[in-house]
């Protein structure tokens, strides 16, 4: 469910006419619904209320400070993967003990800063990383909590680029190596193994893969107990799928129903890391139709937003629903909706039947709140889009459109001609 709905023939975000926003702030423009964002967080919280998990919103899905602040204010923790995300988390006042840190490639500087700040724990992705965290923690004389990220080798039935819990993926530690850590741990006196972590992939629509992965964790927890390793936390990661097209993903309630019995059995504190589930349907990308171009083979709707603004269709051939901001009775026609970028991969939709669009009108690319702006770039020297957040009838600019000066801010032309 989301708060982007037609009122008579106009698309509204909560109580605001989206076309008014497009005209006022220009396009491409990301528009978020505060109500939808918070509602999704609360839905998950409610579904799991019996075990009161720590819900650490996955910053990578959408790292805008306003979104982070909205969720942190509601009690969310944050799941981070870089020093930059740690910076953002602290900027919005997220308590350090609600921050968990994954990533296969944490640098020494990043590890050191996170230890100094006292995050809840690192999700450790390899044995060398564990040894490195121990070394750095020792140099700081600060015992540090870690959760071992287990790669449970399960098939999450999603796109191969966003599958993370198979042994062919770079993520996590296989169960055999994880057992070896138990022998190693006595030599690692500056890390305390306080949890287990899994994150098996993204846009997962069924609960079976979670159940399979969590079952493997339950078995491993028994092994830990036998080795006198007492852990406190089980982090089941993110990955919950949303509706982009015709998917029928499990609801928060159904997901809870399937995994709660297993989780309860462990008696551990549960952590979750949802990103897309919270932010995905809380945002849209609004673009303006620049030209309608017909070729002998195709009809192209050329809009002013491109793959630099929303790369998901180009990267994963992801489907995003596209609707005109003004609904009217008109014939459907099959078109490619494309951006201005000099790549044939620059499309939002291919061979899609859409209401016949006109030059100058606006469209909304739906479900763009997660992995939309956060994956955007300056490719083709395009300024990154503006972002606004709507709360009922109020509109907040949460990121200004970049300027041309922003584009070149960190570039330096050497004072002399090259070659001297
Ligand atoms: N935890 C970890 C350790 C992760 O790596 C991720 C996402 C999440 C949580 C949050 O997953 P979510 O609940 O959002 O599915 N760019 C891709 C998605 C990449 C996901 C990367 N990791 C896309 O646009 O579909």
């Amino acid at each position: 469910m989301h708060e982007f709905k037609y009122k008579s023939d106009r698309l509204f975000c909560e109580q605001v006419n989206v076309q008014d926003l497009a005209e006022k702030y220009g396009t491409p423009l990301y528009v978020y619904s505060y109500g939808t964002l918070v509602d999704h967080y609360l839905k998950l919280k409610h579904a799991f209320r019996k075990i009161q998990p720590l819900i650490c919103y996955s910053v990578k899905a959408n790292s805008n400070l306003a979104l982070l602040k909205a969720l942190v204010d509601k009690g969310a923790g944050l799941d981070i993967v870089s020093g930059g995300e740690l910076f953002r988390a602290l900027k919005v006042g997220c308590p350090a003990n609600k921050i968990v840190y994954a990533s296969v490639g944490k640098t020494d500087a990043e590890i050191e800063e996170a230890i100094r700040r006292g995050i809840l724990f690192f999700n450790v992705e390899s044995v060398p990383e564990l040894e490195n965290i121990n070394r750095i923690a020792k140099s700081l004389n600060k015992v540090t909590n870690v959760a071992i990220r287990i790669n449970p080798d399960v098939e999450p039935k999603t796109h191969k680029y966003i599958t993370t819990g198979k042994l062919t993926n770079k993520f996590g530690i296989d169960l055999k190596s994880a057992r070896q850590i138990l022998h190693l741990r006595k030599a690692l006196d500056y890390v305390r193994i306080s949890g287990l972590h899994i994150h098996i992939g993204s846009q997962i629509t069924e609960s079976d893969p979670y159940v399979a992965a969590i079952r493997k964790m339950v078995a491993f927890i028994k092994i830990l107990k036998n080795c006198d390793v007492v852990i406190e936390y089980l982090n089941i990661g993110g990955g919950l799928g949303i509706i982009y097209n015709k998917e029928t993903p499990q609801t928060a309630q159904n997901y809870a129903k399937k995994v709660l019995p297993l989780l309860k059995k462990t008696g551990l504190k549960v952590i979750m890391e949802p990103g897309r589930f919270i932010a995905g349907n809380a945002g849209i990308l609004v673009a303006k139709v620049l030209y309608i171009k017909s070729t002998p083979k195709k009809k192209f709707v050329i809009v002013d937003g491109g793959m630099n603004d929303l790369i998901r269709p180009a990267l994963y051939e992801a489907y995003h629903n596209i609707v005109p901001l003004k609904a009217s009775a008109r014939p459907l026609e099959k078109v490619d909706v494309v951006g201005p970028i000099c790549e044939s991969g620059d499309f939002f939709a291919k061979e899609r039947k859409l209401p016949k669009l006109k030059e100058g009108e606006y469209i909304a690319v739906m479900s763009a709140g997660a992995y939309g702006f956060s994956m955007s770039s300056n490719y083709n020297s395009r300024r990154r889009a503006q972002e606004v957040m709507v709360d009922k009838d109020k509109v907040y600019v949460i990121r200004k459109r970049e300027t041309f000066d922003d584009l070149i801010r960190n570039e330096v032309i050497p004072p002399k001609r090259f070659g001297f």
Side-chain angles (χ1 to χ4, degrees):
M1 284 302 291
H2 57 73
E3 287 289 329
F4 295 95
K5 292 190 189 114
Y6 285 104
K7 286 191 188 161
S8 65
D9 63 344
R10 298 291 175 160
L11 189 72
F12 272 67
C13 174
E14 304 198 13
Q15 296 165 22
V16 176
N17 182 340
V18 178
Q19 176 127 357
D20 292 345
L21 298 175
E23 281 166 4
K24 178 159 183 196
Y25 299 111
T27 47
L29 178 72
Y30 273 98
V31 179
Y32 304 106
S33 153
Y34 170 84
T36 309
L37 181 84
V38 168
D39 181 52
H40 286 154
Y41 166 73
L42 294 177
K43 274 204 172 98
L44 210 48
K45 195 172 162 168
H46 182 72
F48 282 85
R49 65 193 176 286
K50 287 199 181 120
I51 57 166
Q52 302 204 339
L54 173 62
I55 301 179
C56 292
Y57 165 71
S58 192
V59 173
K60 65 179 84 60
N62 189 320
S63 53
N64 186 293
L65 296 180
L67 274 82
L68 302 184
K69 179 83 169 63
L71 294 166
V72 166
D73 281 353
K74 293 282 171 200
L78 296 173
D79 154 50
I80 62 164
V81 286
S82 68
E85 288 191 352
L86 176 60
F87 176 76
R88 285 179 181 276
L90 297 171
K91 218 22 178 211
V92 298
C94 182
N97 65 3
K98 285 186 172 180
I99 298 175
V100 292
Y101 189 164
S103 158
V104 292
K106 306 174 187 81
T107 65
D108 290 3
E110 288 174 323
I111 293 169
E112 183 172 331
E113 179 65 3
I115 295 176
R116 281 188 196 283
R117 297 293 187 159
I119 63 164
L120 182 58
F121 54 69
F122 291 100
N123 291 317
V124 172
E125 308 248 10
S126 65
V127 176
E129 184 201 324
L130 182 63
E131 289 167 339
N132 199 33
I133 293 174
N134 185 64
R135 182 185 61 79
I136 296 169
K138 189 171 184 176
S139 72
L140 298 171
N141 196 24
K142 220 171 160 187
V143 175
T144 292
N145 289 324
V146 297
I148 302 174
R149 177 169 180 177
I150 300 288
N151 183 322
D153 198 26
V154 295
E155 174 56 63
K157 302 179 204 162
T158 184
H159 191 284
K160 62 176 190 258
Y161 285 6
I162 50 178
T163 293
T164 51
K166 300 270 297 164
L167 286 182
T168 43
N169 304 132
K170 66 180 173 179
F171 302 98
I173 301 177
D174 64 279
L175 282 162
K176 201 166 153 212
S177 309
R179 274 173 177 234
Q180 281 158 12
I181 290 177
L182 301 181
H183 302 298
L184 256 179
R185 78 180 195 286
K186 297 233 164 76
L188 303 172
D189 39 6
Y190 279 83
V191 289
R192 186 188 306 123
I193 300 172
S194 58
L196 292 181
H197 173 229
I198 44 167
H199 172 72
I200 57 175
S202 198
Q203 185 54 15
I204 302 170
T205 52
E206 298 170 22
S207 39
D208 300 1
Y210 286 102
V211 171
I214 295 171
R215 281 219 172 101
K216 290 194 178 186
M217 291 306 95
V218 171
F220 191 62
I221 291 164
K222 275 197 192 128
I223 297 173
L224 290 176
K225 269 193 190 141
N226 292 341
C227 296
D228 289 329
V229 180
V230 184
I231 59 164
E232 216 181 321
Y233 297 98
L234 179 59
N235 180 344
I236 57 171
L240 291 175
I242 62 165
I243 301 174
Y244 285 101
N245 185 15
K246 292 186 179 125
E247 300 89 345
T248 46
Q250 75 268 45
T251 59
Q253 287 291 351
N254 288 343
Y255 176 53
K257 211 164 131 192
K258 286 279 171 63
V259 300
L260 263 178
L262 284 167
L263 297 176
K264 275 189 193 152
K265 227 191 259 173
T266 67
L268 297 175
K269 289 183 195 153
V270 172
I271 296 181
M272 311 171 76
E273 303 173 333
R276 189 191 317 263
F277 182 84
I278 291 177
N281 282 323
I284 61 172
L285 174 62
V286 181
K288 188 175 188 171
V289 177
L290 298 177
Y291 305 105
I292 308 286
K293 173 175 173 174
S294 293
T295 74
K297 298 240 159 145
K298 286 220 179 212
K299 194 160 195 178
F300 293 101
V301 174
I302 302 169
V303 300
D304 66 356
M307 66 189 281
N308 74 300
D309 299 300
L310 176 67
I311 202 173
R312 301 193 70 257
L315 197 55
Y316 318 113
E317 294 188 28
Y319 183 101
H320 284 262
N321 197 14
I322 294 178
V323 297
L325 292 193
K326 185 177 188 311
S328 56
R330 30 183 155 168
L332 297 179
E333 60 177 1
K334 204 184 266 181
V335 294
D336 281 15
V337 180
V338 300
I341 290 199
C342 306
E343 301 241 6
S344 292
D346 179 28
F347 64 89
F348 289 145
K350 278 200 164 166
E351 304 279 318
R352 180 88 57 91
K353 269 195 174 161
L354 291 179
K356 197 171 178 356
L357 292 163
K358 289 196 303 278
E359 290 175 2
E361 78 167 299
Y362 295 98
I363 58 157
V365 183
M366 306 301 288
S367 315
Y371 307 109
F373 189 92
S374 66
M375 292 178 81
S376 68
S377 76
N378 293 120
Y379 188 39
N380 278 203
S381 284
R382 284 167 53 80
R383 295 166 295 160
R384 277 181 299 170
Q386 177 146 336
E387 297 176 285
V388 297
M389 170 111 83
V390 173
D391 179 14
K392 300 189 184 75
D393 61 344
K394 299 227 162 36
V395 180
Y396 302 94
V397 172
I398 60 169
R399 193 179 214 274
K400 294 186 219 155
R401 189 173 303 285
E402 282 179 340
T403 63
F404 290 128
D405 279 330
D406 288 333
L407 283 181
I408 58 167
R409 187 162 314 283
N410 293 321
E411 295 176 31
V412 181
I413 301 174
K416 289 192 179 157
R417 278 169 54 204
F418 295 107
F420 282 83

